[in-house]
Structure formats: structure tokens, C-alpha cells
Amino acid sequence: MSDPIPHRIHARPVPRPGRVVGALVILVIAAMALHGLVTNATFRWDTVWLYLRDIVVIRGIGWTLVLTVGSMALAIVMAVLLAVMRRSDNPVMRGVSWTYIWFFRGTPVWVQLTFWGLLSVLYPRLSIGVPFGPEFFSFSTKDVVTAFWAALLGLAFNEAAYLAEIVRAGLTSVDPGQEEAAKALGMSNSTILRRVVLPQAMRVIVPPTGNETISMLKTTSLVIAVPFTLELFYATNAIGNRLYQPIPLLVIASIWYLVITSILMVGQHYLEQYYGRGFGSETKGRRPPRPGGPSRQEAIQAAGTTKDDPFLEVTP
């Protein structure tokens, strides 16, 4: 049977044997690594399974999540304030913000947490009052700034310096014309920041903030410097030292960190989709319509608040 289309080009994909060979090599290496992981008796998988759901480990997961969420919430609030101060016309505000970021980004987090743990030694009593004048009230530092609060504040103060630069980059990414248009409408500076600038800057702020949250989850393992001894890494390490089996307990900590990180990555994906609406392709980040329900535009038209032809009154 003859081809109905004369001189048809019968194109074939270019053979790429290098890709096939490379894929086979990677699969072989991955299989060897998996075999060594499963068959190595040093990992003691029986101990891993026995202590994977231990009450001490589960409690450590809870405290790790509390530290992560609490420190990130406080750090985000501080970061927004620092970023706004950095963009201020007031040189004192800019100087304080720059000095804060310079100091906390320039010193190791372990050193900062150690100082927070020694806060009650450096300042046994804290007071509020007029400098070089009368004190309104005072309190003992060790009674108020416990190990938990010292760990949370140490993590938050350090993270705020990094998030401040992320927020500043997000605010800078918004077209200045947006602020000018909002000022022309009579909006105040705080309203412009809250209603116009920040919602548009979130598209730039969310991805690195998600990465910082995941990093914070793992940084909580350093609060032993305070010392705070209830989080996940210390809990598993203590069990491993008691059993003289540190490796299987390190595996347990790694498994739980991977589980929590995977959940955070899924949440970050949906947040990026939400704040990325209107950018890229037409359907990217768009919420699918509800099954059997009207779309948003159909609901607006059904409400009768808009005219079918908005130009009817002005068209001759």
C-alpha cells in the first residue's frame, strides 16, 4: 500500500546511548546502596523498629515542632519589622536594622544559643524602668527565661536576621507604581504595606521562607547548647547512649526528620501555588472548580450585582 502523502519524512529520535548507560549505572549504584543499607547488621533494624514509636521519641517530636513553629512565628514578625525599618527614611531605623542583621548573621547560632543559656549568669536580675533612674519592677532571669524560652528566643532572634533580608527582597520586587497608585487613592502607609505590597511580595517571600522553616526544624537539634534536653535529637541520642547503640537511634531521628520535612514540603508547594496565582500559565495555581457547583464568575453573575452589558448606558 502506497503512502498517500508523497515524500513524507519518517523522522526517528536521535539515539542517545550515553543516557541509557548513565541511567543503568545509577540504578546499579542505588541498588547496591539499598542492599548495603538493608543487610548491614550494624544498623540494628530491630532496635530501630522497637524505639521508632517510643514515648520519649514522640515527646521529642512534639517539642521539636513547638520550637520550630514558635521560633518561626516570632522570627517572621520580627523580620517584617526589620525589613520595614531597613527601607525607612529614618537613618536611626536603618542603622538599628542593619546592625541587628549584621550581628546575628555574623555569629554562629551555636554561640548565640550558648549565650542565651548563660543569660541568667550574665544578668541574674532584669528590670524595667528609666535608664540611670528608678526601676518600675524587676524579676529574676532564671525564673522567667527558662531553658525552653531561651531556646525559642535564641532560634527566633537568629532566624529573624535571615528572614529580614528575604522579606526586604520581596518588598523590593513589588513595582513602586503600586505604592504610588495606592497613595493616590488616599491609603495610609500601613494600609499600603498590608493590603497592597505584602500580598504581592508573598510570591517572592514564600519559597525561601519555606526553606528556612525546614532548616529551622533541623537547627532545633542545636538547642542542647542552652541546654534544652526534650527535643528529638537529644531524646534519641540519650536512648542510644543508654543502650550503647547510637547508630540505630540516629536512624530513628533521621526517619522522623525526613517525615516532618516531607510534610512541610507539601505545605510549601500549596502555599507557592496559592500566592503564585496570576503568574505563569493560565491554569497554574488555579483552584479547580467544585464538582457540581458554579464557578466564581457564574456566582457573581447569578447574584445580579453586575450588568450583562456594562457599556449599555454609555453606548449610543
PDB file of all heavy atoms in Angstrom, residues 29-57:
ATOM      1  N   ILE A  29      24.137   1.456  41.176  1.00  0.00           N
ATOM      2  CA  ILE A  29      24.694   2.043  42.403  1.00  0.00           C
ATOM      3  C   ILE A  29      23.617   2.181  43.474  1.00  0.00           C
ATOM      4  O   ILE A  29      23.848   1.891  44.654  1.00  0.00           O
ATOM      5  CB  ILE A  29      25.337   3.412  42.088  1.00  0.00           C
ATOM      6  CG1 ILE A  29      26.553   3.223  41.170  1.00  0.00           C
ATOM      7  CG2 ILE A  29      25.745   4.121  43.371  1.00  0.00           C
ATOM      8  CD1 ILE A  29      27.193   4.520  40.727  1.00  0.00           C
ATOM      9  N   ALA A  30      22.398   2.607  43.066  1.00  0.00           N
ATOM     10  CA  ALA A  30      21.305   2.742  44.024  1.00  0.00           C
ATOM     11  C   ALA A  30      20.921   1.388  44.611  1.00  0.00           C
ATOM     12  O   ALA A  30      20.654   1.268  45.816  1.00  0.00           O
ATOM     13  CB  ALA A  30      20.095   3.393  43.351  1.00  0.00           C
ATOM     14  N   ALA A  31      20.902   0.340  43.770  1.00  0.00           N
ATOM     15  CA  ALA A  31      20.570  -0.995  44.267  1.00  0.00           C
ATOM     16  C   ALA A  31      21.635  -1.493  45.240  1.00  0.00           C
ATOM     17  O   ALA A  31      21.313  -2.113  46.269  1.00  0.00           O
ATOM     18  CB  ALA A  31      20.423  -1.961  43.098  1.00  0.00           C
ATOM     19  N   MET A  32      22.911  -1.223  44.937  1.00  0.00           N
ATOM     20  CA  MET A  32      23.982  -1.632  45.844  1.00  0.00           C
ATOM     21  C   MET A  32      23.880  -0.897  47.185  1.00  0.00           C
ATOM     22  O   MET A  32      24.071  -1.505  48.251  1.00  0.00           O
ATOM     23  CB  MET A  32      25.335  -1.352  45.195  1.00  0.00           C
ATOM     24  CG  MET A  32      25.644  -2.226  43.976  1.00  0.00           C
ATOM     25  SD  MET A  32      27.155  -1.715  43.117  1.00  0.00           S
ATOM     26  CE  MET A  32      28.364  -1.933  44.410  1.00  0.00           C
ATOM     27  N   ALA A  33      23.562   0.414  47.137  1.00  0.00           N
ATOM     28  CA  ALA A  33      23.434   1.171  48.380  1.00  0.00           C
ATOM     29  C   ALA A  33      22.264   0.653  49.208  1.00  0.00           C
ATOM     30  O   ALA A  33      22.361   0.515  50.441  1.00  0.00           O
ATOM     31  CB  ALA A  33      23.252   2.653  48.066  1.00  0.00           C
ATOM     32  N   LEU A  34      21.135   0.360  48.547  1.00  0.00           N
ATOM     33  CA  LEU A  34      19.974  -0.169  49.256  1.00  0.00           C
ATOM     34  C   LEU A  34      20.276  -1.537  49.862  1.00  0.00           C
ATOM     35  O   LEU A  34      19.893  -1.831  51.001  1.00  0.00           O
ATOM     36  CB  LEU A  34      18.786  -0.257  48.308  1.00  0.00           C
ATOM     37  CG  LEU A  34      17.468  -0.755  48.912  1.00  0.00           C
ATOM     38  CD1 LEU A  34      17.004   0.181  50.024  1.00  0.00           C
ATOM     39  CD2 LEU A  34      16.400  -0.887  47.843  1.00  0.00           C
ATOM     40  N   HIS A  35      20.980  -2.371  49.120  1.00  0.00           N
ATOM     41  CA  HIS A  35      21.340  -3.708  49.635  1.00  0.00           C
ATOM     42  C   HIS A  35      22.237  -3.581  50.856  1.00  0.00           C
ATOM     43  O   HIS A  35      22.054  -4.285  51.867  1.00  0.00           O
ATOM     44  CB  HIS A  35      22.045  -4.499  48.526  1.00  0.00           C
ATOM     45  CG  HIS A  35      22.516  -5.849  48.984  1.00  0.00           C
ATOM     46  ND1 HIS A  35      23.810  -6.059  49.460  1.00  0.00           N
ATOM     47  CD2 HIS A  35      21.887  -7.053  49.044  1.00  0.00           C
ATOM     48  CE1 HIS A  35      23.940  -7.329  49.793  1.00  0.00           C
ATOM     49  NE2 HIS A  35      22.792  -7.961  49.549  1.00  0.00           N
ATOM     50  N   GLY A  36      23.215  -2.674  50.783  1.00  0.00           N
ATOM     51  CA  GLY A  36      24.097  -2.493  51.933  1.00  0.00           C
ATOM     52  C   GLY A  36      23.372  -1.914  53.132  1.00  0.00           C
ATOM     53  O   GLY A  36      23.681  -2.244  54.284  1.00  0.00           O
ATOM     54  N   LEU A  37      22.358  -1.080  52.886  1.00  0.00           N
ATOM     55  CA  LEU A  37      21.597  -0.490  53.987  1.00  0.00           C
ATOM     56  C   LEU A  37      20.748  -1.536  54.695  1.00  0.00           C
ATOM     57  O   LEU A  37      20.642  -1.553  55.929  1.00  0.00           O
ATOM     58  CB  LEU A  37      20.710   0.634  53.441  1.00  0.00           C
ATOM     59  CG  LEU A  37      19.950   1.488  54.460  1.00  0.00           C
ATOM     60  CD1 LEU A  37      20.919   2.330  55.279  1.00  0.00           C
ATOM     61  CD2 LEU A  37      18.934   2.378  53.753  1.00  0.00           C
ATOM     62  N   VAL A  38      20.151  -2.440  53.915  1.00  0.00           N
ATOM     63  CA  VAL A  38      19.242  -3.431  54.492  1.00  0.00           C
ATOM     64  C   VAL A  38      20.003  -4.570  55.172  1.00  0.00           C
ATOM     65  O   VAL A  38      19.601  -5.061  56.237  1.00  0.00           O
ATOM     66  CB  VAL A  38      18.295  -3.979  53.401  1.00  0.00           C
ATOM     67  CG1 VAL A  38      17.463  -5.132  53.938  1.00  0.00           C
ATOM     68  CG2 VAL A  38      17.402  -2.865  52.870  1.00  0.00           C
ATOM     69  N   THR A  39      21.098  -4.996  54.573  1.00  0.00           N
ATOM     70  CA  THR A  39      21.800  -6.184  55.072  1.00  0.00           C
ATOM     71  C   THR A  39      22.864  -5.881  56.122  1.00  0.00           C
ATOM     72  O   THR A  39      23.393  -6.806  56.735  1.00  0.00           O
ATOM     73  CB  THR A  39      22.468  -6.921  53.897  1.00  0.00           C
ATOM     74  OG1 THR A  39      23.383  -6.033  53.229  1.00  0.00           O
ATOM     75  CG2 THR A  39      21.411  -7.394  52.911  1.00  0.00           C
ATOM     76  N   ASN A  40      23.198  -4.597  56.332  1.00  0.00           N
ATOM     77  CA  ASN A  40      24.223  -4.260  57.315  1.00  0.00           C
ATOM     78  C   ASN A  40      23.657  -4.441  58.718  1.00  0.00           C
ATOM     79  O   ASN A  40      22.727  -3.737  59.141  1.00  0.00           O
ATOM     80  CB  ASN A  40      24.685  -2.818  57.105  1.00  0.00           C
ATOM     81  CG  ASN A  40      25.949  -2.509  57.895  1.00  0.00           C
ATOM     82  OD1 ASN A  40      26.252  -3.151  58.889  1.00  0.00           O
ATOM     83  ND2 ASN A  40      26.690  -1.518  57.439  1.00  0.00           N
ATOM     84  N   ALA A  41      24.223  -5.367  59.468  1.00  0.00           N
ATOM     85  CA  ALA A  41      23.708  -5.679  60.806  1.00  0.00           C
ATOM     86  C   ALA A  41      23.972  -4.560  61.809  1.00  0.00           C
ATOM     87  O   ALA A  41      23.321  -4.505  62.865  1.00  0.00           O
ATOM     88  CB  ALA A  41      24.334  -6.975  61.313  1.00  0.00           C
ATOM     89  N   THR A  42      24.900  -3.641  61.498  1.00  0.00           N
ATOM     90  CA  THR A  42      25.238  -2.577  62.434  1.00  0.00           C
ATOM     91  C   THR A  42      24.078  -1.600  62.620  1.00  0.00           C
ATOM     92  O   THR A  42      23.963  -0.964  63.679  1.00  0.00           O
ATOM     93  CB  THR A  42      26.481  -1.819  61.928  1.00  0.00           C
ATOM     94  OG1 THR A  42      27.518  -2.760  61.633  1.00  0.00           O
ATOM     95  CG2 THR A  42      26.991  -0.833  62.973  1.00  0.00           C
ATOM     96  N   PHE A  43      23.222  -1.474  61.621  1.00  0.00           N
ATOM     97  CA  PHE A  43      22.088  -0.556  61.746  1.00  0.00           C
ATOM     98  C   PHE A  43      21.067  -1.041  62.777  1.00  0.00           C
ATOM     99  O   PHE A  43      20.278  -0.239  63.266  1.00  0.00           O
ATOM    100  CB  PHE A  43      21.415  -0.370  60.385  1.00  0.00           C
ATOM    101  CG  PHE A  43      22.187   0.519  59.456  1.00  0.00           C
ATOM    102  CD1 PHE A  43      22.868  -0.010  58.374  1.00  0.00           C
ATOM    103  CD2 PHE A  43      22.229   1.890  59.659  1.00  0.00           C
ATOM    104  CE1 PHE A  43      23.582   0.809  57.507  1.00  0.00           C
ATOM    105  CE2 PHE A  43      22.938   2.719  58.798  1.00  0.00           C
ATOM    106  CZ  PHE A  43      23.622   2.173  57.724  1.00  0.00           C
ATOM    107  N   ARG A  44      21.052  -2.342  63.052  1.00  0.00           N
ATOM    108  CA  ARG A  44      20.155  -2.908  64.057  1.00  0.00           C
ATOM    109  C   ARG A  44      18.710  -2.470  63.803  1.00  0.00           C
ATOM    110  O   ARG A  44      18.086  -1.740  64.573  1.00  0.00           O
ATOM    111  CB  ARG A  44      20.592  -2.492  65.455  1.00  0.00           C
ATOM    112  CG  ARG A  44      21.938  -3.034  65.895  1.00  0.00           C
ATOM    113  CD  ARG A  44      21.912  -4.570  65.971  1.00  0.00           C
ATOM    114  NE  ARG A  44      20.883  -5.050  66.880  1.00  0.00           N
ATOM    115  CZ  ARG A  44      21.103  -5.252  68.182  1.00  0.00           C
ATOM    116  NH1 ARG A  44      22.305  -5.033  68.709  1.00  0.00           N
ATOM    117  NH2 ARG A  44      20.135  -5.715  68.942  1.00  0.00           N
ATOM    118  N   TRP A  45      18.156  -2.951  62.709  1.00  0.00           N
ATOM    119  CA  TRP A  45      16.800  -2.544  62.330  1.00  0.00           C
ATOM    120  C   TRP A  45      15.751  -2.997  63.335  1.00  0.00           C
ATOM    121  O   TRP A  45      14.673  -2.399  63.438  1.00  0.00           O
ATOM    122  CB  TRP A  45      16.476  -3.073  60.941  1.00  0.00           C
ATOM    123  CG  TRP A  45      17.308  -2.414  59.875  1.00  0.00           C
ATOM    124  CD1 TRP A  45      18.361  -2.959  59.202  1.00  0.00           C
ATOM    125  CD2 TRP A  45      17.175  -1.074  59.396  1.00  0.00           C
ATOM    126  NE1 TRP A  45      18.899  -2.053  58.324  1.00  0.00           N
ATOM    127  CE2 TRP A  45      18.185  -0.878  58.418  1.00  0.00           C
ATOM    128  CE3 TRP A  45      16.316  -0.025  59.685  1.00  0.00           C
ATOM    129  CZ2 TRP A  45      18.343   0.321  57.731  1.00  0.00           C
ATOM    130  CZ3 TRP A  45      16.475   1.183  59.012  1.00  0.00           C
ATOM    131  CH2 TRP A  45      17.473   1.341  58.050  1.00  0.00           C
ATOM    132  N   ASP A  46      16.056  -4.046  64.100  1.00  0.00           N
ATOM    133  CA  ASP A  46      15.116  -4.453  65.143  1.00  0.00           C
ATOM    134  C   ASP A  46      15.006  -3.384  66.231  1.00  0.00           C
ATOM    135  O   ASP A  46      13.914  -3.081  66.728  1.00  0.00           O
ATOM    136  CB  ASP A  46      15.551  -5.787  65.745  1.00  0.00           C
ATOM    137  CG  ASP A  46      16.982  -5.751  66.257  1.00  0.00           C
ATOM    138  OD1 ASP A  46      17.780  -4.906  65.763  1.00  0.00           O
ATOM    139  OD2 ASP A  46      17.319  -6.551  67.154  1.00  0.00           O
ATOM    140  N   THR A  47      16.147  -2.784  66.591  1.00  0.00           N
ATOM    141  CA  THR A  47      16.127  -1.693  67.569  1.00  0.00           C
ATOM    142  C   THR A  47      15.433  -0.459  67.001  1.00  0.00           C
ATOM    143  O   THR A  47      14.717   0.249  67.712  1.00  0.00           O
ATOM    144  CB  THR A  47      17.564  -1.344  68.001  1.00  0.00           C
ATOM    145  OG1 THR A  47      18.214  -2.521  68.492  1.00  0.00           O
ATOM    146  CG2 THR A  47      17.574  -0.271  69.061  1.00  0.00           C
ATOM    147  N   VAL A  48      15.663  -0.206  65.714  1.00  0.00           N
ATOM    148  CA  VAL A  48      15.002   0.937  65.066  1.00  0.00           C
ATOM    149  C   VAL A  48      13.491   0.793  65.151  1.00  0.00           C
ATOM    150  O   VAL A  48      12.771   1.729  65.530  1.00  0.00           O
ATOM    151  CB  VAL A  48      15.461   1.055  63.595  1.00  0.00           C
ATOM    152  CG1 VAL A  48      14.618   2.082  62.852  1.00  0.00           C
ATOM    153  CG2 VAL A  48      16.935   1.419  63.528  1.00  0.00           C
ATOM    154  N   TRP A  49      12.980  -0.386  64.817  1.00  0.00           N
ATOM    155  CA  TRP A  49      11.539  -0.596  64.852  1.00  0.00           C
ATOM    156  C   TRP A  49      11.001  -0.554  66.280  1.00  0.00           C
ATOM    157  O   TRP A  49       9.894  -0.082  66.533  1.00  0.00           O
ATOM    158  CB  TRP A  49      11.198  -1.935  64.205  1.00  0.00           C
ATOM    159  CG  TRP A  49       9.744  -2.261  64.250  1.00  0.00           C
ATOM    160  CD1 TRP A  49       9.131  -3.222  65.009  1.00  0.00           C
ATOM    161  CD2 TRP A  49       8.702  -1.605  63.532  1.00  0.00           C
ATOM    162  NE1 TRP A  49       7.769  -3.205  64.794  1.00  0.00           N
ATOM    163  CE2 TRP A  49       7.488  -2.223  63.892  1.00  0.00           C
ATOM    164  CE3 TRP A  49       8.685  -0.547  62.615  1.00  0.00           C
ATOM    165  CZ2 TRP A  49       6.265  -1.832  63.366  1.00  0.00           C
ATOM    166  CZ3 TRP A  49       7.466  -0.153  62.088  1.00  0.00           C
ATOM    167  CH2 TRP A  49       6.273  -0.791  62.464  1.00  0.00           C
ATOM    168  N   LEU A  50      11.798  -1.013  67.244  1.00  0.00           N
ATOM    169  CA  LEU A  50      11.345  -1.062  68.632  1.00  0.00           C
ATOM    170  C   LEU A  50      11.195   0.336  69.222  1.00  0.00           C
ATOM    171  O   LEU A  50      10.228   0.612  69.954  1.00  0.00           O
ATOM    172  CB  LEU A  50      12.335  -1.882  69.466  1.00  0.00           C
ATOM    173  CG  LEU A  50      12.018  -2.028  70.959  1.00  0.00           C
ATOM    174  CD1 LEU A  50      10.696  -2.769  71.168  1.00  0.00           C
ATOM    175  CD2 LEU A  50      13.162  -2.741  71.674  1.00  0.00           C
ATOM    176  N   TYR A  51      12.135   1.229  68.909  1.00  0.00           N
ATOM    177  CA  TYR A  51      12.133   2.562  69.519  1.00  0.00           C
ATOM    178  C   TYR A  51      11.600   3.652  68.583  1.00  0.00           C
ATOM    179  O   TYR A  51      11.600   4.818  68.962  1.00  0.00           O
ATOM    180  CB  TYR A  51      13.551   2.944  69.964  1.00  0.00           C
ATOM    181  CG  TYR A  51      13.987   2.227  71.217  1.00  0.00           C
ATOM    182  CD1 TYR A  51      14.680   1.026  71.132  1.00  0.00           C
ATOM    183  CD2 TYR A  51      13.698   2.736  72.475  1.00  0.00           C
ATOM    184  CE1 TYR A  51      15.081   0.346  72.274  1.00  0.00           C
ATOM    185  CE2 TYR A  51      14.099   2.073  73.618  1.00  0.00           C
ATOM    186  CZ  TYR A  51      14.790   0.881  73.512  1.00  0.00           C
ATOM    187  OH  TYR A  51      15.180   0.222  74.657  1.00  0.00           O
ATOM    188  N   LEU A  52      11.142   3.272  67.399  1.00  0.00           N
ATOM    189  CA  LEU A  52      10.657   4.279  66.449  1.00  0.00           C
ATOM    190  C   LEU A  52       9.447   5.028  67.006  1.00  0.00           C
ATOM    191  O   LEU A  52       9.272   6.222  66.755  1.00  0.00           O
ATOM    192  CB  LEU A  52      10.295   3.607  65.115  1.00  0.00           C
ATOM    193  CG  LEU A  52       9.896   4.538  63.974  1.00  0.00           C
ATOM    194  CD1 LEU A  52      11.059   5.444  63.575  1.00  0.00           C
ATOM    195  CD2 LEU A  52       9.443   3.723  62.764  1.00  0.00           C
ATOM    196  N   ARG A  53       8.604   4.323  67.777  1.00  0.00           N
ATOM    197  CA  ARG A  53       7.399   4.937  68.342  1.00  0.00           C
ATOM    198  C   ARG A  53       7.476   4.997  69.870  1.00  0.00           C
ATOM    199  O   ARG A  53       6.444   4.998  70.545  1.00  0.00           O
ATOM    200  CB  ARG A  53       6.163   4.156  67.901  1.00  0.00           C
ATOM    201  CG  ARG A  53       5.926   4.174  66.386  1.00  0.00           C
ATOM    202  CD  ARG A  53       4.930   3.129  65.973  1.00  0.00           C
ATOM    203  NE  ARG A  53       5.429   1.784  66.211  1.00  0.00           N
ATOM    204  CZ  ARG A  53       4.721   0.668  66.048  1.00  0.00           C
ATOM    205  NH1 ARG A  53       3.464   0.757  65.652  1.00  0.00           N
ATOM    206  NH2 ARG A  53       5.256  -0.518  66.282  1.00  0.00           N
ATOM    207  N   ASP A  54       8.680   5.082  70.382  1.00  0.00           N
ATOM    208  CA  ASP A  54       8.861   5.175  71.827  1.00  0.00           C
ATOM    209  C   ASP A  54       8.282   6.490  72.340  1.00  0.00           C
ATOM    210  O   ASP A  54       8.325   7.518  71.651  1.00  0.00           O
ATOM    211  CB  ASP A  54      10.342   5.073  72.177  1.00  0.00           C
ATOM    212  CG  ASP A  54      10.579   4.995  73.673  1.00  0.00           C
ATOM    213  OD1 ASP A  54      10.410   3.916  74.248  1.00  0.00           O
ATOM    214  OD2 ASP A  54      10.923   6.050  74.254  1.00  0.00           O
ATOM    215  N   ILE A  55       7.749   6.480  73.556  1.00  0.00           N
ATOM    216  CA  ILE A  55       7.088   7.659  74.100  1.00  0.00           C
ATOM    217  C   ILE A  55       8.055   8.828  74.232  1.00  0.00           C
ATOM    218  O   ILE A  55       7.690  10.003  74.023  1.00  0.00           O
ATOM    219  CB  ILE A  55       6.440   7.320  75.468  1.00  0.00           C
ATOM    220  CG1 ILE A  55       5.652   8.512  75.984  1.00  0.00           C
ATOM    221  CG2 ILE A  55       7.491   6.874  76.463  1.00  0.00           C
ATOM    222  CD1 ILE A  55       4.503   8.926  75.128  1.00  0.00           C
ATOM    223  N   VAL A  56       9.317   8.548  74.559  1.00  0.00           N
ATOM    224  CA  VAL A  56      10.308   9.621  74.678  1.00  0.00           C
ATOM    225  C   VAL A  56      10.580  10.238  73.308  1.00  0.00           C
ATOM    226  O   VAL A  56      10.721  11.470  73.177  1.00  0.00           O
ATOM    227  CB  VAL A  56      11.605   9.079  75.312  1.00  0.00           C
ATOM    228  CG1 VAL A  56      12.671  10.159  75.355  1.00  0.00           C
ATOM    229  CG2 VAL A  56      11.328   8.539  76.705  1.00  0.00           C
ATOM    230  N   VAL A  57      10.638   9.412  72.281  1.00  0.00           N
ATOM    231  CA  VAL A  57      10.863   9.911  70.921  1.00  0.00           C
ATOM    232  C   VAL A  57       9.671  10.745  70.454  1.00  0.00           C
ATOM    233  O   VAL A  57       9.834  11.821  69.880  1.00  0.00           O
ATOM    234  CB  VAL A  57      11.124   8.732  69.961  1.00  0.00           C
ATOM    235  CG1 VAL A  57      11.246   9.231  68.526  1.00  0.00           C
ATOM    236  CG2 VAL A  57      12.391   7.979  70.370  1.00  0.00           C
TER     237      VAL A  57
END
